[in-house]
Amino acid sequence: MPPPSPAPARVGRLRLAGLLFLAMASGALLNNQLFRPSSDNPEGTARGYLRFKEILSYVDRDYADTVDTEALADYAVAQMLEKLDPHSVYIPARDRANTDAFLQGDYDGVGIEFNLARDTMTVVAPLSGGPAELAGVQPGDQILSLGGRRVSGARLSNAQLQQLLRGPKGSTVAVELKRRGAARPISLTLARSRISNNSVEAAYLIDPETGYIKVNRFAASTYDDFHQALLELRQHGLSRLILDLRGNPGGYLDRATKLADEFIAGSRKIVYTEGKGDQYDTQTYARTTGEFEEGSLVVLVDEGSASAAEVLAGALQDHDRALLVGRRTFGKGLVQQPIPLSDGGELRLTIARYYTPSGRSIQKPYGASYAEYSRDLAEREKRGELASADSNRFAKALRYRTDHGRPVYGGGGIMPDIFVPRDSLAHSSYFTQLQGKGLLRAFALTFYQQHKAELEGLRFEQFNSTFRIDDQQLATLAAQATRDGVKAEPGAARRCAPLLRNHLKAYIARSAYGLVPYYTVLRENDRELQRALTAVSDSTVMLALLKK
């Protein structure tokens, strides 16, 4: 016989007690400054918080094995944010320094650009004016240990090695080097100092009138670095410009909009954002007289150009101020606000969307699956979008107009005015493996060391006009690559030969002569840059394209 059910009055009292408890708990949470939900659904948010707290407590107290509850909480938070969108993220306190360093204008360290190949850390070049250069560190030096810790053969990552090189200004690090021709390892003690982390990677004149500036991200000092570079090139005769934003993942939006203001005249709109309600709605306009508001301008973009780089490219295209050359950009148009947390971590939460002046949304579609979103570029390649402009499809409903009436499309990324297919050889499996394992740089550094005296006797102009990588050197590279685990592919090696010669020559020029010679050599095989040069040098053609 079933037990008698509780009296209705008793059930009512239990229910009321439960509701009172929840109300009290919710009130305590809402009064806590660390817990401030929106007014739309405070009870639901409080219930979710209590549920998570209760389950985590049971797991910590009663689960059969010992568990790392902080790691579980991090995992749960990451999974929760993935349900929102692909760019809202939680950054634990332990990772914030590395994450923030990407957007810093400078850092404290010793100033070494290095290559990691065959588990060997080799100096590509000491940075100009840094402690390593002043102490006599040379390209080709192999670093055996840092701060007493063995790094050669230690299977450390690039990030781990960077951490060993960096530290507070004025602190010291012991460095042990192996140098070709030296009987013994060389021991140095380097005092760390402030190192410029320049986001303007290169700035020089390609010809007496045409400047080239490459911006690799929008960091704290990007606008100042760019403005200084542009002024110097103007003083040397620049009247037309190629701005390279390929592979630029974005960064600080205000640096990108200030840079746009250098090109856009008057008080025209640069970008606007729309979020929940009016709190995060913004509109940004050109405000100052820029340094280059007239003159031919071409912007290089590709599938690696994202976020703030797309904002800049979209504004210039919408106002018919520049020709865009390359391939459709990444398509990140979500605005993240950094929110510091009490544990030292940081929440970067999407609070709005970017729109170009014509009204285009930059953000490409995303669903519930983060994995599917992350495969987007691979799917673009399968559909042929990186090889043919016609394979890029846009919805007619998302068509907008530039100032001159040219059609442009929203729905994800910025489509350039002049399409250049991706170099299939540069992205072939064979070439990618050689680059990814650092073998091209390693080969070039060895060559530099072996021929250092000869190279020092040549001016770069002589080197560039006479130096060639021969077939025997390519055969030696292929043999070394096979020993390092890259499967021999004679056919692929033959197809890649011109690209391999060009990159090896450029890497040798980097160690022997510096960054500008490096880019000068690479230009020979850079199809996008060649198309940009053709467009920017013919102002009549360029104006016609901008008024189509």
Side-chain angles (χ1 to χ4, degrees):
M1 206 174 158
S5 59
R10 186 181 173 199
V11 172
R13 284 196 299 273
L14 289 172
R15 212 172 266 161
L16 179 60
L19 288 172
L20 283 172
F21 173 77
L22 180 59
M24 289 171 63
S26 299
L29 289 172
L30 293 173
N31 287 327
N32 188 332
Q33 290 303 304
L34 299 179
F35 188 87
R36 290 176 294 177
S38 72
S39 58
D40 295 342
N41 186 27
E43 293 85 3
T45 308
R47 283 194 295 269
Y49 173 89
L50 289 170
R51 186 183 309 122
F52 178 77
K53 181 181 176 182
E54 186 176 16
I55 291 171
L56 188 64
S57 297
Y58 276 119
V59 169
D60 180 44
R61 191 184 68 197
D62 298 327
Y63 185 66
D65 298 320
T66 301
V67 295
D68 184 342
T69 51
E70 287 202 41
L72 283 176
D74 286 353
Y75 176 78
V77 168
Q79 294 296 304
M80 175 180 68
L81 293 175
E82 278 188 17
K83 283 290 185 182
L84 302 179
D85 67 82
H87 299 294
S88 290
V89 294
Y90 163 65
I91 301 169
R94 63 180 178 274
D95 297 331
R96 274 192 71 182
N98 287 340
T99 306
D100 293 344
F102 175 76
L103 295 177
Q104 290 174 358
D106 46 26
Y107 63 92
D108 294 333
V110 299
I112 289 177
E113 180 185 339
F114 65 88
N115 181 56
L116 185 61
R118 307 185 194 98
D119 210 16
T120 301
M121 184 181 182
T122 306
V123 177
V124 171
L127 301 184
S128 179
E133 184 189 54
L134 297 176
V137 175
Q138 299 177 9
D141 286 348
Q142 293 181 352
I143 300 179
L144 304 178
S145 68
L146 288 169
R149 179 175 179 178
R150 193 80 179 171
V151 297
S152 179
R155 299 186 181 280
L156 299 177
S157 67
N158 273 281
Q160 289 172 313
L161 294 171
Q162 289 282 11
Q163 283 295 100
L164 292 173
L165 288 170
R166 296 183 181 187
K169 181 179 179 180
S171 63
T172 60
V173 58
V175 181
E176 188 181 27
L177 305 170
K178 179 182 177 183
R179 181 171 296 165
R180 183 181 181 85
R184 297 185 180 83
I186 299 169
S187 295
L188 301 171
T189 300
L190 305 180
R192 296 182 177 98
S193 67
R194 206 69 175 155
I195 304 296
S196 176
N197 191 18
N198 204 331
S199 53
V200 176
E201 195 170 298
Y204 63 98
L205 287 176
I206 293 175
D207 60 41
E209 296 178 69
T210 308
Y212 170 86
I213 300 180
K214 180 171 179 59
V215 179
N216 61 30
R217 67 193 187 286
F218 290 99
S221 63
T222 298
Y223 171 74
D224 294 333
D225 293 340
F226 173 84
H227 189 254
Q228 182 62 34
L230 183 60
L231 284 175
E232 290 177 4
L233 294 181
R234 292 292 306 264
Q235 290 169 4
H236 287 87
L238 175 145
S239 61
R240 51 201 187 202
L241 177 65
I242 296 172
L243 175 62
D244 193 345
L245 299 180
R246 291 175 297 180
N248 183 319
Y252 291 124
L253 176 64
D254 64 331
R255 273 54 166 196
T257 56
K258 283 183 73 175
L259 206 150
D261 203 352
E262 289 293 315
F263 304 116
I264 296 172
S267 57
R268 288 180 285 181
K269 187 180 292 184
I270 294 174
V271 66
Y272 67 95
T273 65
E274 291 184 355
K276 185 186 290 185
D278 299 332
Q279 183 180 2
Y280 298 113
D281 292 355
T282 65
Q283 299 194 53
T284 303
Y285 293 86
R287 294 184 301 171
T288 62
T289 302
E291 188 62 38
F292 197 70
E293 291 183 351
E294 296 181 359
S296 297
L297 175 64
V298 168
V299 179
L300 294 173
V301 294
D302 66 7
E303 57 281 358
S305 308
S307 193
E310 295 176 283
V311 168
L312 172 57
L316 295 175
Q317 187 180 51
D318 278 3
H319 291 308
D320 296 296
R321 177 63 190 92
L323 270 181
L324 272 54
V325 174
R327 292 175 296 283
R328 182 161 69 96
T329 60
F330 181 85
K332 181 192 179 291
L334 300 178
V335 185
Q336 279 73 52
Q337 175 170 293
I339 303 169
L341 303 175
S342 58
D343 67 350
E346 185 176 85
L347 171 63
R348 294 189 179 174
L349 184 68
T350 296
I351 48 94
R353 286 177 169 79
Y354 294 123
Y355 295 87
T356 71
S358 67
R360 289 185 285 169
S361 171
I362 297 169
Q363 180 61 44
K364 60 188 175 184
Y366 58 88
S369 171
Y370 180 81
E372 182 181 339
Y373 183 82
S374 64
R375 290 195 300 268
D376 175 67
L377 292 182
E379 292 300 317
R380 284 195 206 179
E381 186 172 16
K382 283 183 184 177
R383 293 193 296 267
E385 290 188 25
L386 305 182
S388 167
D390 293 339
S391 297
N392 289 265
R393 307 285 184 181
F394 297 96
K396 290 184 178 179
L398 298 176
R399 182 166 62 187
Y400 298 83
R401 297 283 180 180
T402 69
D403 289 356
H404 290 162
R406 294 187 301 139
V408 287
Y409 293 88
I414 303 293
M415 186 67 183
D417 306 297
I418 299 175
F419 180 87
V420 180
R422 189 166 76 168
D423 189 340
S424 59
L425 292 179
H427 291 84
S428 67
S429 172
Y430 185 71
F431 187 84
T432 300
Q433 286 185 76
L434 293 179
Q435 282 281 53
K437 289 177 175 285
L439 300 181
L440 294 182
R441 275 199 166 189
F443 185 91
L445 284 166
T446 300
F447 184 94
Y448 168 77
Q449 283 192 310
Q450 292 171 344
H451 300 86
K452 186 177 177 183
E454 302 161 50
L455 292 168
E456 286 178 346
L458 289 176
R459 290 180 293 106
F460 170 68
E461 291 74 20
Q462 294 172 301
F463 167 85
N464 197 33
S465 62
T466 62
F467 180 82
R468 295 291 181 273
I469 295 290
D470 60 32
D471 291 343
Q472 182 56 49
Q473 288 159 344
L474 288 184
T476 302
L477 170 66
Q480 289 180 356
T482 302
R483 290 195 294 272
D484 286 312
V486 179
K487 182 182 177 182
E489 297 184 47
R494 279 194 302 272
R495 289 191 296 273
C496 287
L499 199 62
L500 291 171
R501 294 182 206 276
N502 181 251
H503 274 70
L504 290 172
K505 181 178 176 179
Y507 287 139
I508 293 167
R510 170 69 184 100
S511 293
Y513 305 104
L515 268 175
V516 171
Y518 166 78
Y519 280 103
T520 301
V521 173
L522 281 184
R523 193 165 69 231
E524 294 177 15
N525 272 65
D526 191 335
R527 291 191 294 177
E528 292 150 60
L529 184 52
Q530 294 300 330
R531 290 291 298 274
L533 276 167
T534 301
V536 78
S537 61
D538 193 332
S539 57
T540 304
V541 171
M542 187 170 179
L543 287 171
L545 285 168
L546 287 172
K547 291 181 179 179
K548 260 187 177 180

